Amino acid sequence: MAILVTGGSGYIGSVTVECLLAKGEQVVVLDDLARGHRAALPADIPLYQGKTGDRELVARIAREHTLDSCIHFAALIEVGESVLDPAKYFENNVGHGIALIGELIRAGVRDFVFSSTAAVYGDPEQIPIPEESRKWPRRPYGWSKQFIEQLLAAYDTAYGMKFIALRYFNAAGATEKCGEDHRPESHLIPNVLAAALGLQKMIRVFGNNYPTPDGTPIRDYIHVADLAEAHIRALDHLRSGGHSDYLNLGTGKGYSVLEVINCAREVTGRDIPVQIEPPRPGDPARLIADHTKAASLLGWEPVKSDLRSMVQSAWNWRHLHPNGYNGS
Ligand SMILES: NC(=O)c1ccc[n+]([C@@H]2O[C@H](COP(=O)([O-])OP(=O)(O)OC[C@H]3O[C@@H](n4cnc5c(N)ncnc54)[C@H](O)[C@@H]3O)[C@@H](O)[C@H]2O)c1
């Protein structure tokens, strides 16, 4: 039986593919390569280049492989872009998602792992954030994920599709083979490392007057390899007849923007110039996961997610690939 991995040439997808293959799983990738990288995947992997919303293509993949499950990473992920062009986000993340899930159900696939996000919580009511907190995203990106979460609940009731929706906090770090190369890149650690390499002049810090010890916002970073392991366990849970659920993936510990920059200065031994800018509207001071549910349901604990390991692994990868996958 094969696992369909959508978005498998992207950052988290490619690391998860690497881990699935290492466990001897059969993997088929569907990716439009619009924001992913062919070089992030092994040359011999079955790769279908196309959209998750292409029903004929999804049906063909299901005919050509015996799929038992799907891990659905494929989405547009830029929060700011989703504000400027919400139609693009709803069409891609929701519209294509609906078509994909519909075709999978038609093909008899019943186990579905979904990449959701901490953005479904919007402004958190409590820290650390438990799964049952109010879900009220602030931006179209978060709504596009929240919509699919709701759809999955309804499809479970009506059609028996079982799912685990994994709400990631901030993915970070790299394996030896696969690293973070988003274009555009809005995530802190790759931008800090680009500044360390002199590829950008400085790192812009949005706000230093938040109610946190150093005034900069605190986020919960999770190593991408820990994320990948959680997907594999979520799939095992579903394959062994487990129930559908929503799980936070974070560490329960946060680091401020300045802590991340200082760590990168230590790891790289380079100067990283900082420019303080006004805070971005809607950026909460702290986003930290309560991950106890993932720990109890999946027996999962982050083991690589201390800040130094994440920054060091990202630096090792970036150092080998200063131009990202373009230079691979
Ligand atoms: N990176 C993070 O910190 C983070 C945090 C929370 C949630 N997530 C979610 O995790 C998933 C993966 O994130 P990532 O950082 O690896 O993103 P990414 O952009 O690196 O990977 C996404 C991949 O999906 C592909 N894709 C997008 N829409 C598609 C479509 N309609 N059909 C086929 N392929 C399509 C892209 O080309 C890309 O290869 C996303 O769903 C994202 O919303 C990521």
Side-chain angles (χ1 to χ4, degrees):
M1 300 298 264
I3 304 161
L4 177 63
V5 178
T6 75
S9 78
Y11 170 44
I12 307 169
S14 60
V15 172
T16 306
V17 167
E18 188 187 343
C19 295
L20 287 167
L21 294 175
K23 297 212 183 243
E25 296 280 4
Q26 279 193 48
V27 175
V28 181
V29 172
L30 169 59
D31 198 304
D32 62 7
L33 295 180
R35 304 221 170 161
H37 309 276
R38 181 64 188 86
L41 290 168
D44 57 351
I45 197 157
L47 167 66
Y48 291 80
Q49 186 175 351
K51 297 279 186 196
T52 46
D54 182 341
R55 286 177 176 270
E56 276 180 29
L57 177 60
V58 175
R60 176 154 77 86
I61 298 170
R63 274 198 310 277
E64 291 177 0
H65 302 270
T66 318
L67 301 178
D68 75 334
S69 53
C70 173
I71 307 182
H72 179 39
F73 292 102
L76 295 171
I77 69 160
E78 287 303 318
V79 176
E81 187 183 48
S82 80
V83 175
L84 297 174
D85 194 354
K88 186 172 173 182
Y89 274 67
F90 287 121
E91 282 166 20
N92 191 72
N93 296 0
V94 179
H96 287 211
I98 292 172
L100 169 78
I101 297 165
E103 282 309 317
L104 291 175
I105 289 176
R106 207 188 295 267
V109 175
R110 286 293 177 272
D111 295 338
F112 192 81
V113 179
F114 175 55
S115 293
S116 191
T117 168
V120 297
Y121 298 115
D123 279 333
E125 291 171 310
Q126 67 185 99
I127 297 288
I129 310 171
E131 284 83 355
E132 55 283 1
S133 286
R134 181 189 61 168
K135 265 68 75 187
W136 195 257
R138 289 190 60 105
R139 309 214 181 78
Y141 166 71
W143 281 111
S144 75
K145 295 289 180 174
Q146 169 68 356
F147 187 93
I148 296 291
E149 284 199 359
Q150 294 304 310
L151 176 147
L152 288 170
Y155 281 22
D156 180 2
T157 307
Y159 313 127
M161 175 176 249
K162 297 293 166 204
F163 70 90
I164 294 287
L166 297 172
R167 296 178 184 144
Y168 321 151
F169 282 62
N170 293 60
T175 63
E176 276 182 31
K177 286 188 194 150
C178 300
E180 187 165 13
D181 184 10
H182 294 117
R183 295 162 200 215
E185 185 59 82
S186 61
H187 293 158
L188 179 63
I189 293 175
N191 280 323
V192 167
L193 298 181
L197 281 167
L199 299 172
Q200 62 185 58
K201 267 207 249 152
M202 51 49 194
I203 185 83
R204 295 155 74 204
V205 173
F206 297 98
N208 63 352
N209 226 351
Y210 285 89
T212 59
D214 66 21
T216 61
I218 291 178
R219 295 290 178 268
D220 187 337
Y221 294 89
I222 172 93
H223 196 293
V224 66
D226 283 334
L227 280 182
E229 176 63 26
H231 288 75
I232 290 168
R233 288 179 183 232
L235 208 53
D236 287 346
H237 164 84
L238 293 174
R239 282 168 159 175
S240 54
H243 65 277
S244 299
D245 220 327
Y246 305 89
L247 302 175
N248 286 338
L249 294 183
T251 63
K253 184 169 163 39
Y255 299 101
S256 74
V257 172
L258 288 183
E259 279 178 293
V260 171
I261 294 169
N262 285 333
C263 178
R265 286 178 174 138
E266 275 174 38
V267 164
T268 63
R270 301 194 184 192
D271 185 31
I272 300 174
V274 161
Q275 180 169 305
I276 305 292
E277 303 214 353
R280 287 182 296 208
D283 264 358
R286 283 171 207 265
L287 283 177
I288 295 175
D290 176 344
H291 75 287
T292 48
K293 197 170 163 193
S296 63
L297 191 72
L298 306 180
W300 171 84
E301 279 292 341
V303 291
K304 298 187 172 171
S305 296
D306 63 281
L307 182 58
R308 177 118 195 165
S309 306
M310 290 187 282
V311 173
Q312 183 72 59
S313 64
W315 177 241
N316 294 348
W317 189 82
R318 182 50 69 166
H319 209 237
L320 285 176
H321 309 269
N323 299 312
Y325 285 105
N326 274 0
S328 299

Coordinates of all heavy atoms in Angstrom, one line a residue, residues 1 19 23 31 58 147 149 165 177 209-210 217-218 254 273:
M1 N 0.8 -1.2 0.0 CA 0.0 0.0 0.0 C 0.9 1.2 0.0 O 1.9 1.3 0.7 CB -0.9 0.0 1.3 CG -1.8 -1.2 1.4 SD -3.0 -1.3 0.0 CE -4.4 -0.5 0.8
C19 N 11.7 10.6 5.8 CA 11.5 9.7 6.9 C 10.6 8.5 6.6 O 10.9 7.4 7.1 CB 10.9 10.5 8.1 SG 12.0 11.8 8.7
K23 N 11.6 4.4 6.6 CA 10.9 3.4 7.4 C 10.4 2.3 6.4 O 9.6 1.5 6.8 CB 9.7 4.0 8.1 CG 10.2 5.0 9.2 CD 9.3 5.0 10.4 CE 9.8 6.1 11.3 NZ 10.2 5.7 12.6
D31 N 2.6 17.1 -6.5 CA 3.1 18.5 -6.2 C 3.1 19.3 -7.5 O 3.5 18.7 -8.5 CB 4.5 18.5 -5.5 CG 4.8 19.8 -4.8 OD1 4.8 20.8 -5.4 OD2 5.1 19.7 -3.6
V58 N -5.8 13.1 -9.8 CA -5.9 12.4 -8.5 C -6.5 11.0 -8.7 O -6.0 9.9 -8.2 CB -6.7 13.2 -7.4 CG1 -6.8 12.3 -6.1 CG2 -6.0 14.5 -7.1
F147 N -11.3 25.9 7.6 CA -12.4 25.4 6.8 C -12.1 23.9 6.5 O -13.1 23.0 6.7 CB -12.5 26.1 5.4 CG -13.7 25.7 4.6 CD1 -14.9 26.4 4.7 CD2 -13.6 24.6 3.8 CE1 -16.0 25.9 4.1 CE2 -14.7 24.1 3.1 CZ -15.9 24.8 3.2
E149 N -10.4 21.8 8.2 CA -10.6 21.1 9.5 C -12.1 20.8 9.7 O -12.5 19.6 10.1 CB -10.1 21.9 10.7 CG -8.6 21.9 10.9 CD -8.2 22.4 12.3 OE1 -9.1 22.7 13.1 OE2 -7.0 22.4 12.6
A165 N -5.7 16.1 12.2 CA -5.3 17.4 11.7 C -4.2 17.9 12.7 O -4.4 18.0 13.9 CB -6.5 18.4 11.8
K177 N 19.8 16.1 4.3 CA 19.4 16.3 2.8 C 18.5 17.4 2.5 O 18.6 18.0 1.5 CB 18.6 15.0 2.4 CG 19.5 13.8 2.3 CD 18.7 12.7 1.7 CE 19.4 11.3 1.8 NZ 18.5 10.2 1.9
N209 N 8.6 46.0 21.8 CA 7.9 46.6 23.0 C 6.8 45.7 23.4 O 5.8 46.1 24.1 CB 7.3 47.9 22.6 CG 7.6 48.9 23.7 OD1 8.1 48.5 24.8 ND2 7.3 50.2 23.5
Y210 N 6.9 44.4 23.1 CA 5.8 43.4 23.5 C 6.0 43.1 25.0 O 7.2 43.2 25.5 CB 5.9 42.2 22.7 CG 5.4 42.3 21.3 CD1 6.3 42.7 20.2 CD2 4.1 42.0 21.0 CE1 5.8 42.8 18.9 CE2 3.6 42.1 19.7 CZ 4.5 42.5 18.7 OH 4.0 42.6 17.4
P217 N 8.5 39.3 20.2 CA 7.5 38.2 20.3 C 8.2 36.8 20.5 O 9.3 36.6 20.0 CB 6.8 38.3 18.9 CG 7.1 39.6 18.3 CD 8.4 40.0 18.9
I218 N 7.4 36.0 21.1 CA 7.9 34.6 21.4 C 7.1 33.6 20.6 O 5.9 33.7 20.6 CB 7.8 34.4 23.0 CG1 8.8 35.2 23.7 CG2 8.0 32.9 23.3 CD1 8.8 35.1 25.2
G254 N 8.9 28.5 24.3 CA 9.0 29.5 23.2 C 10.4 30.2 23.3 O 11.0 30.2 24.3
P273 N 23.3 42.0 11.5 CA 22.7 43.3 11.8 C 21.2 43.2 11.9 O 20.6 42.5 11.2 CB 23.2 44.2 10.6 CG 24.1 43.4 9.8 CD 23.9 41.9 10.2

